[in-house]
Amino acid sequence: MQTQKVTDHIVQWLKDYAVKAKVNGYVIGVSGGVDSGVVSTLAAMTGLKTLLIEMPIRQKPDQIDRAWEHMNDLKSRFPNVEAMSVNLTPAFEELYKAFDVKDDLYPNEKLAFANTRSRLRMLTLYYYGQINGLLVCGTGNKVEDFGIGFYTKYGDGGVDVSPIADLYKTEVYTLARSLNLVKNIQEAIPTDGLWDVDRTDEQQIGATYPELEKIQKEYGTKTADDYEGRDKEVFLIFDRMHKAAQHKINPIPVCDIPEEWREG
């Protein structure tokens, strides 16, 4: 990948979009992962106001430490960068008490609460974005956004722009190295940070990002019968998740009303 060309292209795209939208810049949620690390750096490189927000919800200390190590590094390098922390744990605990149901009757409750965390962060980003005249900058990559739909609808999927959504995860790591992000961000194991127990993306999905990327690049031109062994296992994982994620990937369905019914 021609990292410098890709970097310059995304930075200029972000700058042009913000100028055209007549906003001051971007707000980004920083998790301590490589995606938000790369996106926040690219936003900072526009020279426009860049607000970084770390939003812990029952968060592991190492994730908080990584996020702040990265944010402090960007603040030292870019005068247009501001950083803050908004502790969302108390708000989440109130929602937890209000929503909590019996797990044995509702087996999807833990997943629903994981998605609630993501949606609470989305609300926070839009609040601070609006009062500061900023757009919410998404951090999803190509595999997550258009491959397996590994994000929360109206959570981390609720954004104004998606600058790295056409980059595979391995390409995001390549950019992280070329942008000289702090080592802990470059080496961060992918995790969504939405669960009380440590659950990496690979553990949740059942496949690595390089494995998924291989299938995504060939998807639509091959079927399960074209694969064997581990590749076939990953194809079936990708195929199942991709089909289940169509309600995220496609625009919201609209029920069209025939024009002749509007008359009379």
Side-chain angles (χ1 to χ4, degrees):
M1 186 173 67
Q2 300 181 55
T3 55
Q4 192 58 55
K5 286 187 176 181
V6 171
T7 296
D8 293 343
H9 177 71
I10 295 176
V11 170
Q12 191 61 49
W13 182 85
L14 284 169
K15 188 171 184 178
D16 291 346
Y17 195 94
V19 170
K20 186 176 180 179
K22 294 181 172 58
V23 297
N24 298 322
Y26 294 99
V27 58
I28 302 104
V30 175
S31 64
V34 69
D35 292 327
S36 65
V38 166
V39 168
S40 55
T41 303
L42 294 170
M45 292 171 69
T46 65
L48 302 171
K49 181 172 180 177
T50 302
L51 177 59
L52 313 180
I53 307 182
E54 185 255 338
M55 298 169 283
I57 303 175
R58 297 180 177 178
Q59 222 64 32
K60 302 295 185 294
D62 64 311
Q63 294 173 3
I64 296 174
D65 292 343
R66 276 203 314 272
W68 271 104
E69 183 183 4
H70 169 68
M71 292 193 295
N72 286 329
D73 177 64
L74 282 191
K75 284 174 62 181
S76 70
R77 293 163 55 191
F78 299 96
N80 55 308
V81 170
E82 299 177 17
M84 62 184 294
S85 179
V86 179
N87 182 11
L88 296 178
T89 299
F92 177 75
E93 297 298 353
E94 288 302 313
L95 286 174
Y96 188 90
K97 287 188 290 185
F99 293 166
D100 192 26
V101 294
K102 293 182 178 180
D103 292 357
D104 56 337
L105 296 179
Y106 298 92
N108 283 330
E109 186 192 29
K110 287 185 173 58
L111 177 59
F113 273 130
N115 286 327
T116 298
R117 295 191 196 198
S118 185
R119 290 173 180 134
L120 188 54
R121 289 179 176 135
M122 180 274 293
L123 291 173
T124 305
L125 291 174
Y126 271 97
Y127 171 80
Y128 283 98
Q130 189 161 21
I131 66 174
N132 286 284
L134 306 171
L135 294 177
V136 176
C137 197
T139 62
N141 59 66
K142 192 168 187 173
V143 176
E144 294 169 344
D145 283 9
F146 301 111
I148 58 174
F150 194 64
Y151 63 90
T152 298
K153 195 173 185 179
Y154 306 123
D156 51 331
V159 300
D160 294 315
V161 296
S162 288
I164 64 167
D166 197 34
L167 292 176
Y168 289 105
K169 188 79 167 188
T170 53
E171 293 175 322
V172 176
Y173 274 105
T174 299
L175 275 190
R177 291 190 293 271
S178 70
L179 293 170
N180 196 30
L181 269 60
V182 296
K183 203 72 171 175
N184 282 333
I185 296 291
Q186 291 187 40
E187 298 174 351
I189 298 173
T191 178
D192 58 18
L194 298 177
W195 305 84
D196 289 334
V197 295
D198 285 323
R199 298 181 64 180
T200 66
D201 290 356
E202 181 178 346
Q203 288 171 332
Q204 293 189 65
I205 299 168
T208 67
Y209 280 100
E211 288 176 327
L212 293 166
E213 290 173 17
K214 178 181 186 298
I215 301 301
Q216 186 169 356
K217 291 172 183 177
E218 300 172 343
Y219 194 70
T221 64
K222 293 184 178 182
T223 67
D225 293 336
D226 296 311
Y227 297 98
E228 58 183 22
R230 178 59 180 167
D231 284 346
K232 186 167 187 174
E233 291 177 4
V234 177
F235 175 88
L236 294 174
I237 291 171
F238 184 95
D239 185 60
R240 172 179 54 79
M241 296 185 72
H242 181 75
K243 289 176 178 176
Q246 290 306 298
H247 69 100
K248 300 180 182 181
I249 297 171
N250 294 321
I252 298 172
V254 174
C255 179
D256 293 325
I257 306 300
E259 280 302 318
E260 60 269 24
W261 293 359
R262 300 178 189 276
E263 300 173 359

